[in-house]
Amino acid sequence: MTLEFENESGTELGLPLEETARMVIEAALDELKCPYEAEVSLLITDNARIQEMNRQFRQIDRPTDVLSFPMIQFDQPGDFSFLEEEEPEECFNPETGELVLGDIVISAEKVLEQAEEYGHSVKREYAFLIVHSVLHLTGYDHMVPEEAEWMEQRQRQILEQLHITR
């Protein structure tokens, strides 16, 4: 797996951000039975920058905790079988052959705020946001209650497998 990682936040979270992200993304993709090596980009930023991005891409003018920018439109969430029929240049990096899933943007300030608010560790909040975003990158959403419940169960399951609990 290739992780394009950048931390522009200037906020110290007190954990190995890149290594943790890699571990969490790999666990999530394994749980989803992704049959390909994958490429994900992760940007750690601050509230001002994520608010700007949220305004630009979602027309919501406030900071958020995480933004997901999928590169692939899944017909069925988590169903990678259709990729066999796609043109390779549409979904795969021609240099590495890896499946290009998309980009994740996380506000470091929101990680700290929400860890305190929810009463769990910074590592748990950071890992949760990454798992949540990987699910979005693979076609899952939480717009209806059934989807939201499924995502919550899967997120909890992946984090428990990593022994990252509340």
Side-chain angles (χ1 to χ4, degrees):
M1 184 194 88
T2 298
L3 174 62
E4 298 292 332
F5 179 86
E6 183 180 356
N7 183 357
E8 67 176 26
S9 74
T11 300
E12 182 55 50
L13 295 180
L15 58 128
L17 297 175
E18 186 171 356
E19 294 82 3
T20 302
R22 183 179 306 283
M23 174 186 67
V24 170
I25 293 167
E26 287 177 350
L29 293 175
D30 286 349
E31 178 65 25
L32 296 170
K33 299 183 180 12
C34 177
Y36 304 101
E37 287 297 314
E39 181 178 309
V40 174
S41 172
L42 173 59
L43 171 64
I44 310 298
T45 192
D46 59 23
N47 279 347
R49 177 76 171 112
I50 208 164
Q51 179 172 348
E52 177 185 312
M53 295 173 83
N54 204 20
R55 180 176 50 247
Q56 178 182 357
F57 295 107
R58 298 178 60 223
Q59 292 72 54
I60 299 174
D61 192 12
R62 66 175 184 265
T64 188
D65 50 5
V66 63
L67 292 170
S68 307
F69 298 99
M71 296 299 290
I72 301 167
Q73 182 151 4
F74 285 79
D75 295 329
Q76 294 293 318
D79 180 2
F80 298 90
S81 64
F82 77 98
L83 294 169
E84 298 294 326
E85 300 154 11
E86 295 291 315
E87 295 296 319
E89 62 272 3
E90 296 290 321
C91 303
F92 295 90
N93 181 328
E95 294 177 15
T96 64
E98 291 179 318
L99 180 64
V100 181
L101 287 176
D103 303 331
I104 301 170
V105 181
I106 293 176
S107 166
E109 292 166 285
K110 286 287 186 183
V111 169
L112 293 174
E113 290 169 23
Q114 291 176 177
E116 184 174 329
E117 178 182 339
Y118 298 128
H120 55 238
S121 70
V122 169
K123 181 177 183 177
R124 198 278 180 190
E125 185 63 22
Y126 179 66
F128 170 83
L129 294 175
I130 293 170
V131 169
H132 184 83
S133 194
V134 169
L135 291 174
H136 280 308
L137 296 183
T138 55
Y140 292 96
D141 211 336
H142 44 81
M143 300 305 286
V144 297
E146 297 80 23
E147 292 173 348
E149 185 178 318
W150 187 93
M151 278 187 71
E152 288 171 17
Q153 288 176 337
R154 193 51 73 92
Q155 289 163 167
R156 191 171 37 256
Q157 182 179 17
I158 293 166
L159 293 173
E160 285 173 358
Q161 288 173 359
L162 293 169
H163 306 290
I164 302 173
T165 58
R166 290 182 171 220

